[in-house]
Amino acid sequence: MDSTNKRKKLITSEIVKYALGQSFVKLNPMVMIKNPVMFVVELGTFIVLLLTLFPSSFGAEANFGFNLTVFIVLLFTVLFANLAEAIAEGRGKAQANALKQTKTDVTANKVQSGGGVKSVPATELRKGDIVIVAQGEMIPGDGEVIAGIATVDESAITGESAPVMKEAGGDFCSVTGGTRVVSDQIKVRITSDPGESFLDRMISLVEGAKRQKTPNEIALNILLITLTVIFLIVVVTLAPIAKYVGVNLEIPVLISLLVCLIPTTIGGLLSAIGIAGMDRVTQFNVLAMSGKAVEAAGDINTMILDKTGTITFGNRMASDIMPVGQANVADVASWAAISSIQDETPEGRSVMEWVRKNGYTFDESKARDAEFIEFKAETRMSGMDLKNGWKVRKGAIDAVKQWVTTQGGTIPADLTDKGNHIASEGGTPLAVAVNDQMLGLIYLKDTVKPGMRERFEQLRKMGIKTIMCTGDNPLTAATIAREAGVDDFIAESKPEDKIAVIRREQAEGKLVAMTGDGTNDAPALAQADVGLAMNSGTIAAKEAANMVDLDSDPSKIIEVVSIGKQLLMTRGALTTFSIANDVAKYFAIIPAMFMLAIPEMHVLNVMGLGSPMSAILSALIFNAVIIPLLIPLAMKGVAYKPMSASKLLSRNLVLYGLGGVIAPFIGIKIIDLVVHLWI
């Protein structure tokens, strides 16, 4: 699935069909009351309909043609507003339906308590159950790999055709229900109950109808309601004032004035803007747990990034071997291979690959029946105790140095310098020793992902500071930071250090984003205002974050920030445009209502509109048609370019403020030329 192609189709025929039907369904007053501005318009539409059908019953003048026209225009105003929201919802539902198609009836090979395996429907699985998934089988639910290694096709979820490696332990053990095992076999512990899986949550969240309003949107709604009440009071008091000066204003005219003056444009588009913002994030294969997270992304000041798996590929691979003292490369390579024969970590496998690729040989018989010493956080070493009594170790330099010393050996003079050289180049040195002899160093290199420097430069232009957190030593951290182009870094950081830097930035009034994929990133992801977890990461990281990147691309945070800023800009721009519209409509309707009785009011008829009736209808028609014309902008969003806030404000005030004043003058005049001929 090509996400670029997905984004090209803004509105499809299926979405339009759905939206047209929903436009009428949403006329239900119980639905409309959730949008107070448009509910007032619907109420006015109903009153004008009664006055059109039963004018004598309400003591109104029998101006059937005018009243009917006002009713039709008001009805379309409400329908167009409903259409905007329904189109936005339709896009979300279309995505949800596509995801639902990936949910097929899956059978799971559940491991029984007695040790056997039983075939059961995936719907019967519960959190904590263990299943075995072989090549070609579908993973029955969200879980963590607890044994084995396999490649998994996640294209149904992420859209990425290339299968990804999943293995027990580390930060790449998380698997998603609905994905398929391409090769090998894995044992998976289920981490969610039916209906609570990642895919289930994704389906419910992309359906726009279930979206909760954000704090910013609620605040704007309150402002719109306040403006509506103010203009309602103004219009109600205008009738007796007009009567005092000899002008009899009919109820349809007053309702037309009210509808034109209240912020109907932004009132009709507000929900669509919010739903479309969530939808745009999903279009980039990012699952936002709430609209609040998307909005917060638009105001981010600082970004904290975990190095391993985020800025770098994460798997440190053997790229060279350096002998120390009197040893040679062949000796170091041979013993490094023997120490790694049973080491199933990515580092261990990469050592074996490097040795074979570079043509070095080793005696496998030495490792036969040997005892494998697993890596432990306490010892920071792994290795083999051979049958002949020899011992070989590889691990952190200081740990292996201490081990060699306890064996009665001495440390070569060039060990420290060569270790510092590897660290200064951004690598990780692993020492290799046999019995009491230090042989050399394995150069493990973690490569910075392509394009990261350019991406961080974009963030800098947005005014966002980037801080890299890593457990590496300061020399290695400085090299990676320089290569990646981040603004600052924290070396030898622990989970509590990441939380501390986030809290420090937040204490200064800044909004902080954090990206990560490991269990140790989970506390920081939860503390951050915007936590973006990688889909390839652990369950703990995804549960703690408020966004999940299905493509596991940490640089995706730039798109998320852009979409957040775009959402806020779109809402602000269309609010500015809507209020500016009201200024122009004032010059259309107010003079039209009074200039017959008060000729001096003609000076305010700056548009030169044909007659009072045509002026009112022209303003009302413009007020209705501007909503569907702005739907594509609300869906697509205002174009965002990295620049300072002051420049953005100036640009939008000119474009949408001044444009919002000028557009109605032109539009209403053109409509009036047609309406005046008809009247």
Side-chain angles (χ1 to χ4, degrees):
M1 193 187 302
D2 189 338
S3 60
T4 303
N5 290 335
K6 285 194 295 180
R7 292 194 293 271
K8 283 181 181 176
K9 287 195 174 183
L10 191 66
I11 301 172
T12 64
S13 57
E14 290 79 9
I15 291 174
V16 171
K17 287 177 185 176
Y18 167 83
L20 287 173
Q22 286 296 304
S23 299
F24 288 91
V25 172
K26 288 175 179 289
L27 290 175
N28 182 343
M30 299 305 294
V31 176
M32 289 298 300
I33 201 167
K34 295 176 183 177
N35 187 341
V37 176
M38 298 315 299
F39 179 70
V40 169
V41 179
E42 184 180 47
L43 196 59
T45 306
F46 180 69
I47 294 171
V48 174
L49 176 62
L50 292 178
L51 292 172
T52 304
L53 298 176
F54 313 105
S56 58
S57 301
F58 296 92
E61 291 184 10
N63 194 342
F64 180 80
F66 177 78
N67 290 355
L68 180 62
T69 305
V70 170
F71 164 72
I72 293 172
V73 175
L74 290 178
L75 177 62
F76 273 95
T77 303
V78 179
L79 288 174
F80 287 152
N82 290 346
L83 181 71
E85 184 176 35
I87 285 176
E89 291 177 358
R91 295 192 74 199
K93 289 184 183 296
Q95 288 189 42
N97 291 335
L99 289 169
K100 286 174 183 175
Q101 292 174 7
T102 67
K103 294 186 67 178
T104 56
D105 294 330
V106 179
T107 301
N109 299 314
K110 180 181 175 182
V111 177
Q112 302 297 295
S113 56
V117 177
K118 181 181 179 183
S119 182
V120 300
T123 52
E124 293 185 9
L125 294 175
R126 295 294 182 271
K127 189 182 296 185
D129 287 344
I130 295 174
V131 297
I132 295 174
V133 191
Q135 180 177 342
E137 294 179 347
M138 195 82 77
I139 295 174
D142 292 357
E144 291 182 321
V145 180
I146 58 174
I149 180 172
T151 53
V152 178
D153 176 9
E154 296 186 328
S155 59
I157 304 297
T158 67
E160 177 57 54
S161 57
V164 294
M165 186 76 73
K166 297 290 182 179
E167 59 184 328
D171 292 340
F172 299 96
C173 63
S174 169
V175 291
T176 306
T179 57
R180 187 179 298 276
V181 172
V182 178
S183 67
D184 302 295
Q185 178 176 291
I186 49 177
K187 186 179 286 186
V188 177
R189 180 187 293 113
I190 300 299
T191 56
S192 65
D193 291 327
E196 299 175 359
S197 71
F198 185 73
L199 186 57
D200 289 316
R201 283 186 293 148
M202 185 174 178
I203 290 170
S204 66
L205 286 165
V206 298
E207 290 183 311
K210 299 183 181 180
R211 183 190 66 93
Q212 291 185 331
K213 285 183 170 62
T214 63
N216 182 285
E217 193 173 344
I218 292 170
L220 185 53
N221 251 320
I222 294 171
L223 173 63
L224 298 183
I225 293 169
T226 304
L227 289 173
T228 301
V229 171
I230 290 171
F231 282 118
L232 183 61
I233 295 171
V234 169
V235 170
V236 169
T237 56
L238 188 61
I241 294 173
K243 197 167 187 178
Y244 178 76
V245 296
V247 178
N248 184 29
L249 297 178
E250 292 295 320
I251 294 177
V253 174
L254 291 172
I255 290 175
S256 300
L257 174 64
L258 175 63
V259 170
C260 285
L261 292 184
I262 64 176
T264 50
T265 305
I266 186 61
L269 295 171
L270 187 58
S271 292
I273 294 168
I275 295 171
M278 291 280 288
D279 176 63
R280 281 194 296 276
V281 173
T282 310
Q283 294 292 313
F284 279 94
N285 267 5
V286 174
L287 174 59
M289 303 302 180
S290 69
K292 184 179 179 182
V294 180
E295 281 191 359
D299 289 326
I300 287 300
N301 307 107
T302 305
M303 188 177 299
I304 313 295
L305 302 107
D306 179 53
K307 186 210 78 171
T308 306
T310 303
I311 293 175
T312 63
F313 282 107
N315 289 334
R316 298 177 301 171
M317 313 296 284
S319 64
D320 200 3
I321 283 180
M322 294 183 178
V324 296
Q326 302 301 313
N328 57 53
V329 175
D331 287 340
V332 183
S334 174
W335 286 108
I338 291 172
S339 71
S340 303
I341 285 177
Q342 295 186 38
D343 186 354
E344 289 301 317
T345 65
E347 292 88 347
R349 289 196 296 269
S350 75
V351 169
M352 299 298 295
E353 185 179 345
W354 187 91
V355 170
R356 292 191 178 103
K357 187 173 69 174
N358 286 276
Y360 293 102
T361 59
F362 59 95
D363 186 359
E364 289 190 43
S365 64
K366 291 182 179 179
R368 196 171 296 137
D369 298 325
E371 180 187 356
F372 175 61
I373 309 299
E374 289 188 15
F375 177 88
K376 292 182 180 179
E378 296 82 14
T379 62
R380 295 187 295 147
M381 293 186 301
S382 65
M384 301 278 275
D385 286 351
L386 307 184
K387 201 171 182 181
N388 62 6
W390 285 30
K391 297 180 180 181
V392 56
R393 295 289 185 271
K394 75 172 188 295
I397 290 179
D398 56 342
V400 177
K401 278 172 62 176
Q402 185 179 356
W403 182 80
V404 168
T405 303
T406 59
Q407 301 293 316
T410 57
I411 306 302
D414 58 347
L415 177 68
T416 301
D417 288 341
K418 289 188 176 181
N420 288 341
H421 172 70
I422 292 174
S424 67
E425 290 189 352
T428 301
L430 283 187
V432 178
V434 176
N435 296 330
D436 61 351
Q437 185 181 1
M438 181 73 76
L439 296 178
L441 298 171
I442 301 171
Y443 183 167
L444 296 180
K445 186 166 179 60
D446 193 0
T447 308
V448 173
K449 293 183 178 180
M452 293 304 292
R453 173 174 285 276
E454 292 76 14
R455 305 290 262 168
F456 291 141
E457 181 59 35
Q458 282 182 267
L459 288 171
R460 206 168 288 115
K461 288 180 181 177
M462 294 178 185
I464 298 172
K465 177 184 178 183
T466 52
I467 302 174
M468 179 186 79
C469 289
T470 175
D472 291 335
N473 62 65
L475 280 174
T476 301
T479 303
I480 294 291
R482 186 169 57 253
E483 187 179 339
V486 295
D487 297 317
D488 198 1
F489 68 89
I490 299 173
E492 299 176 340
S493 70
K494 299 179 286 296
E496 51 266 32
D497 295 327
K498 296 175 185 178
I499 295 177
V501 70
I502 291 173
R503 287 176 176 166
R504 186 186 70 213
E505 293 289 317
Q506 289 172 333
E508 296 175 4
K510 298 176 181 177
L511 290 183
V512 182
M514 165 79 190
T515 65
D517 60 356
T519 301
N520 64 331
D521 296 324
L525 287 167
Q527 177 67 37
D529 300 285
V530 177
L532 178 66
M534 303 297 104
N535 189 42
S536 62
T538 61
I539 293 292
K542 290 194 280 189
E543 289 289 343
N546 50 24
M547 288 188 183
V548 177
D549 175 24
L550 303 180
D551 295 329
S552 300
D553 175 9
S555 65
K556 189 79 68 66
I557 190 70
I558 295 175
E559 272 81 18
V560 174
V561 169
S562 296
I563 291 168
K565 289 183 180 295
Q566 189 180 44
L567 171 62
L568 296 173
M569 282 174 54
T570 303
R571 189 177 291 152
L574 291 182
T575 302
T576 303
F577 185 86
S578 178
I579 294 173
N581 265 216
D582 295 339
V583 176
K585 286 180 282 189
Y586 166 87
F587 283 99
I589 292 187
I590 297 295
M593 290 193 304
F594 289 97
M595 64 186 180
L596 290 180
I598 309 173
E600 290 81 4
M601 292 285 288
H602 186 75
V603 72
L604 292 178
N605 186 19
V606 293
M607 297 187 197
L609 302 178
S611 68
M613 290 300 184
S614 70
I616 293 168
L617 288 177
S618 298
L620 206 56
I621 292 170
F622 176 85
N623 190 68
V625 299
I626 196 65
I627 295 176
L629 291 177
L630 290 174
I631 289 177
L633 181 61
M635 298 292 296
K636 187 178 180 181
V638 173
Y640 171 73
K641 294 180 180 178
M643 61 178 72
S644 66
S646 58
K647 285 185 179 179
L648 276 175
L649 180 61
S650 301
R651 172 178 172 269
N652 289 337
L653 281 176
V654 171
L655 190 59
Y656 296 99
L658 187 58
V661 172
I662 295 172
F665 276 88
I666 298 171
I668 291 172
K669 179 61 179 178
I670 293 172
I671 295 171
D672 179 73
L673 292 174
V674 178
V675 172
H676 181 57
L677 292 175
W678 168 55
I679 290 181

